[in-house]
Amino acid sequence: MMTLFSIDIWNKFVKKVEEEFKLKTYPHFDPFFNFKKDKSRIKLLVSDTTGQNVAKHSFLPFVKIIVKTARFRYQESDTNRDLDLTAKEREKFYESDTKKRPIAFASHFDTYLYGFYSYALNEKYQAYIKDHNFADCVLAYRTDLNGKSNIQFAKETFDKVKKMYLTGHCTVIALDIKGYFDSINHYILKEKWCKVIEEDELPIDQYKVFKSLTNYSYSNKDSILKHFKINLKKKKRRGEYWQSLLDLIPDNIAGKDFKSKFNLIRKRKLIVENKPKKDGSFAGIPQGSSMSATLANLYLIDFDEYLNKLGQDKGFIYRRYCDDLLIICPSDQADKLEKIVKDKIVEYKVEIQPKKTEKIEFKENSKSVIRGINRKRIEKEKVVIVPENEDKYYKSLQYLGFEFNGQVITIRASSLSRYFRKMKGRITKTVMMARGKKSKSDTIFRKQLYHKYTHLGKTNFLSYAYKASRKTYKNSKGVSKEGMDSKAIRRQLKAHFAILKKELKLTDEQIGKKNLRL
C-alpha cells in the first residue's frame, strides 16, 4: 500500500510551516505545540511506512467556535424594486444581518499531523488534475499557482467575460453549494481519495485520518467555559498562566491529570459526535482543519473534470472556488447549462442554494454600452427590457470580492461597508481606552488605527485593495503581479483617510462630552 511520506515531501512541508510559523495559542485540550522545536514527534508518526504509528494515534475531539460576520445587504422588495433611486437613496433599503459559521479547530498537535497529510495529499491531487487536463478550473486552496491570488483569478474571469461578449451575448451563471462541508458524503469522499492516490483502499494511516475527519467528535468552547464558570478575560487580566482548556478546570472537581479531566468532560456530555443525517447517510467533515480544504477540492474531481471537458466541447468556461461555481457561456446556452450543473451535482449528494444562484447577461444597452443585466430577475418578473426600464435591471457580477458591471471593476460594496464598520468600531474602542475612567493614559494611539485601517498599513484591507487597483504590484514575496488597473477602485478608496480622521475627531468629541456630563 502506498505511503504519502517521502523525505522530499517532508522537507517541503517543514519549509512551508517554518516560513509561516507562529505559535498557536487558541484554547484546546492539549498544550501549545512548538513545531520548530518538536517536529520530530510529527515525523516519527508520518515516516512510519507501515502506517501503524498514525493508526494507533488518538486524535482529540475538535473544539468548535461560531464565527460571526456582520453583513450589510440590499433588501429588495415590491416596495422599492421599481423606484428610480440614487445610490444614496438606496442606502435606507440596506439591512444588516449576521452570518454564523462554525469553525472546528484540531488540537495543537493534531493540527500539524493533519497539516502534513493535507500537504502530501494536495501534491497528489494537483498532479492528478494536471494529468487529467482540468487544472485550470479549480482555483481554491492550491499551492501550484505561482503565487496567484484572488486579484488575478477575478481579473482573468472578467477578461474572459469581456472576450466572450465581444463575439455576441454572454451570460454568467454563479451558483453556490448549500452547506458544502456538512454535506460531503463519506462514501464518495473515500472513493475519490482512493482515486487520487491510485489505490483500491486507503492505507491504514490514511484511513485513520479519514475516520478522524468523518466520524469526528467536537466540543463547543463556549459550552465548556460556561459549564465550569470560567471567565477567560479575567484570567488574562490577572496574568494567570494556562495552556489548555483542561488547565482551566479546577483540580478539586476531577483531579490534576489529563485523563481525569478529559473523562469528566465526556461524562458531562460536553463532547458531541458527528451523527448520521436524517436519511441515515453519513456526511460532513469539520470546517477549519488543515485537511478540510484539500478534501473540499478532492471531493468534486469527477464533477470538475466532466464540466471542464463539456466546456471545451461546447464553448463555455467553468470555474470552481471551493463551494462557488461559475459558468461563462453564450447566452443561448445558459438555461440548458444551469440545468445540467444542477442535475449533475446531485450525484455527489450536495445541492445548489437557489437563493444564491445568479444569472447575469452582458449585452449592449440602449446607448450601445455593455452592461450586466439581471437575467434571473427578468425571467422571474417576465418583463420586456426597454430603454425606459433597463437601468432598474442592471446587475454587476460579484466574484472573489470584486464587482464587474461590464465596463469597470470595483471592490464589492459589502466588503467596503464591512471595512468602514470595523474602522468605526475600532475608533470607538481606541477613544474609550484613552478617555474612559479606567484608562491609564489619555493618548489616542493613532498609529495603530493607521496601520489597520489606512493605506499606511502593509497587510490590511486597504493595502490589498490598492494593490488590486494598480496595473502591476509586488506581492508579499516581492514578486511582480498583475492588478486590475482600475481607476474605479482608486475612486472608491480615495476618501478613506479623511473619513477616518473625521470619525476619530467626532467620536473623541462625543465621548468627551459624555464624560463631562457624568
Side-chain angles (χ1 to χ4, degrees):
M1 297 290 275
M2 178 193 149
T3 177
L4 290 176
F5 179 84
S6 72
I7 290 297
D8 181 54
I9 288 291
W10 170 255
N11 288 337
K12 287 179 180 177
F13 168 66
V14 169
K15 182 182 178 183
K16 180 178 181 295
V17 172
E18 293 191 343
E19 281 177 352
E20 306 165 353
F21 181 75
K22 184 178 179 181
L23 186 68
K24 301 179 190 298
T25 58
Y26 54 82
H28 215 290
F29 296 121
D30 66 337
F32 309 150
F33 183 77
N34 190 323
F35 181 84
K36 281 190 172 182
K37 290 183 178 179
D38 298 320
K39 56 180 172 281
S40 59
R41 289 176 57 194
I42 301 291
K43 187 178 181 182
L44 181 65
L45 292 180
V46 301
S47 62
D48 173 25
T49 54
T50 69
Q52 291 293 337
N53 286 349
V54 172
K56 292 175 182 176
H57 176 69
S58 296
F59 287 89
L60 286 174
F62 289 84
V63 169
K64 187 176 284 189
I65 65 169
I66 304 298
V67 176
K68 298 178 182 179
T69 305
R71 296 185 294 185
F72 206 49
R73 289 184 166 183
Y74 184 70
Q75 304 297 316
E76 189 178 82
S77 67
D78 292 335
T79 305
N80 61 44
R81 181 178 293 137
D82 297 323
L83 296 178
D84 188 11
L85 304 173
T86 65
K88 187 71 177 175
E89 290 169 335
R90 289 169 70 90
E91 285 183 4
K92 65 183 178 180
F93 293 110
Y94 278 83
E95 291 181 4
S96 61
D97 63 0
T98 302
K99 180 180 179 180
K100 296 180 180 180
R101 190 161 52 103
I103 300 295
F105 291 92
S107 75
H108 297 290
F109 183 85
D110 291 347
T111 289
Y112 291 104
L113 188 53
Y114 284 132
F116 171 78
Y117 277 92
S118 175
Y119 184 87
L121 185 60
N122 195 42
E123 290 286 295
K124 292 287 181 184
Y125 166 77
Q126 290 174 165
Y128 181 95
I129 61 177
K130 285 177 182 176
D131 290 345
H132 290 75
N133 301 312
F134 64 100
D136 288 345
C137 71
V138 186
L139 305 179
Y141 314 132
R142 301 267 300 277
T143 60
D144 61 344
L145 294 170
N146 195 29
K148 285 186 178 180
S149 71
N150 286 0
I151 295 172
Q152 286 79 53
F153 297 148
K155 185 179 186 302
E156 287 171 4
T157 298
F158 299 150
D159 285 347
K160 289 182 185 300
V161 172
K162 290 179 187 177
K163 186 177 180 180
M164 188 170 288
Y165 70 52
L166 288 175
T167 62
H169 293 178
C170 166
T171 292
V172 180
I173 309 166
L175 307 106
D176 181 89
I177 301 174
K178 183 178 179 181
Y180 184 39
F181 288 90
D182 289 334
S183 302
I184 288 176
N185 180 274
H186 297 168
Y187 176 81
I188 296 174
L189 177 63
K190 183 169 173 282
E191 177 196 330
K192 306 310 175 192
W193 190 330
C194 289
K195 191 170 192 174
V196 165
I197 65 170
E198 299 179 313
E199 295 281 356
D200 293 330
E201 292 293 335
L202 292 179
I204 57 172
D205 59 327
Q206 293 178 57
Y207 183 71
K208 181 62 179 282
V209 174
F210 167 79
K211 289 299 289 182
S212 72
L213 291 162
T214 52
N215 189 26
Y216 71 96
S217 58
Y218 66 91
S219 188
N220 187 289
K221 185 193 80 172
D222 290 338
S223 296
I224 290 178
L225 297 179
K226 185 177 180 180
H227 183 86
F228 292 104
K229 299 178 181 178
I230 299 166
N231 188 322
L232 281 184
K233 290 183 179 179
K234 280 187 178 181
K235 287 186 176 292
K236 287 178 182 177
R237 284 200 296 267
R238 293 171 187 159
E240 294 183 26
Y241 181 78
W242 54 274
Q243 278 208 15
S244 81
L245 286 171
L246 300 183
D247 291 340
L248 299 168
I249 300 173
D251 295 345
N252 59 3
I253 296 178
K256 294 183 178 181
D257 62 287
F258 174 93
K259 187 175 180 180
S260 299
K261 291 185 176 182
F262 194 75
N263 286 340
L264 177 66
I265 288 175
R266 282 196 182 279
K267 185 178 179 181
R268 296 196 176 180
K269 298 181 179 179
L270 293 171
I271 294 177
V272 181
E273 293 182 357
N274 182 35
K275 297 178 180 178
K277 302 298 179 186
K278 290 181 180 179
D279 62 1
S281 64
F282 291 87
I285 60 173
Q287 186 174 353
S289 79
S290 310
M291 285 289 288
S292 301
T294 299
L295 299 183
N297 273 350
L298 178 150
Y299 186 73
L300 289 176
I301 51 169
D302 291 340
F303 178 82
D304 293 333
E305 185 174 13
Y306 168 79
L307 274 183
N308 188 70
K309 187 176 185 305
L310 188 64
Q312 291 172 346
D313 294 341
K314 303 293 184 182
F316 69 86
I317 296 161
Y318 164 70
R319 293 290 182 267
R320 178 167 73 91
Y321 194 99
C322 190
D323 56 356
D324 290 325
L325 314 179
L326 201 75
I327 301 284
I328 304 169
C329 64
S331 294
D332 58 2
Q333 292 185 28
D335 293 340
K336 184 178 180 181
L337 287 174
E338 183 182 0
K339 186 176 187 309
I340 287 172
V341 172
K342 289 180 177 179
D343 289 347
K344 187 68 179 177
I345 207 159
V346 171
E347 296 176 16
Y348 301 88
K349 311 296 182 184
V350 296
E351 59 181 293
I352 299 299
Q353 179 82 281
K355 289 183 179 179
K356 291 187 177 181
T357 298
E358 298 289 355
K359 203 156 37 171
I360 302 166
E361 184 174 12
F362 289 88
K363 63 180 182 179
E364 286 188 355
N365 63 11
S366 59
K367 297 177 182 178
S368 299
V369 176
I370 299 290
R371 291 297 300 266
I373 307 292
N374 191 340
R375 184 165 160 177
K376 180 182 176 183
R377 182 179 160 192
I378 291 170
E379 289 172 354
K380 182 180 179 182
E381 297 178 10
K382 298 178 181 178
V383 296
V384 175
I385 300 300
V386 293
E388 290 74 23
N389 70 1
E390 65 183 0
D391 59 332
K392 296 177 184 177
Y393 293 90
Y394 288 157
K395 188 172 181 63
S396 298
L397 169 62
Q398 294 189 13
Y399 194 57
L400 302 180
F402 299 93
E403 293 186 356
F404 177 60
N405 69 359
Q407 294 298 308
V408 298
I409 300 170
T410 55
I411 297 291
R412 192 173 61 183
S414 60
S415 298
L416 275 178
S417 297
R418 184 164 59 249
Y419 153 72
F420 281 113
R421 284 199 307 277
K422 284 185 175 181
M423 182 184 78
K424 290 178 180 180
R426 185 66 190 183
I427 287 172
T428 301
K429 187 176 180 179
T430 300
V431 173
M432 284 298 296
M433 288 171 67
R435 304 289 185 249
K437 289 184 177 181
K438 295 181 180 180
S439 63
K440 297 179 181 179
S441 168
D442 61 357
T443 302
I444 296 175
F445 295 105
R446 287 176 172 80
K447 282 187 178 180
Q448 293 181 5
L449 285 172
Y450 296 162
H451 178 74
K452 280 194 168 188
Y453 296 104
T454 78
H455 62 288
L456 299 176
K458 292 182 179 180
T459 56
N460 59 26
F461 172 79
L462 258 296
S463 65
Y464 173 79
Y466 270 116
K467 284 178 181 178
S469 74
R470 299 183 188 119
K471 188 171 184 178
T472 60
Y473 68 92
K474 289 189 177 180
N475 65 12
S476 59
K477 294 184 178 180
V479 179
S480 182
K481 293 293 175 185
E482 187 180 17
M484 301 284 189
D485 192 17
S486 171
K487 291 180 181 178
I489 292 178
R490 291 192 285 275
R491 284 196 296 270
Q492 284 180 295
L493 308 175
K494 187 177 180 180
H496 80 274
F497 201 77
I499 291 170
L500 184 146
K501 290 199 291 185
K502 182 179 178 181
E503 189 68 27
L504 182 58
K505 182 181 178 182
L506 182 63
T507 304
D508 193 19
E509 289 173 354
Q510 289 175 339
I511 290 176
K513 289 178 182 177
K514 185 178 179 182
N515 286 341
L516 283 174
R517 287 198 299 270
L518 293 174

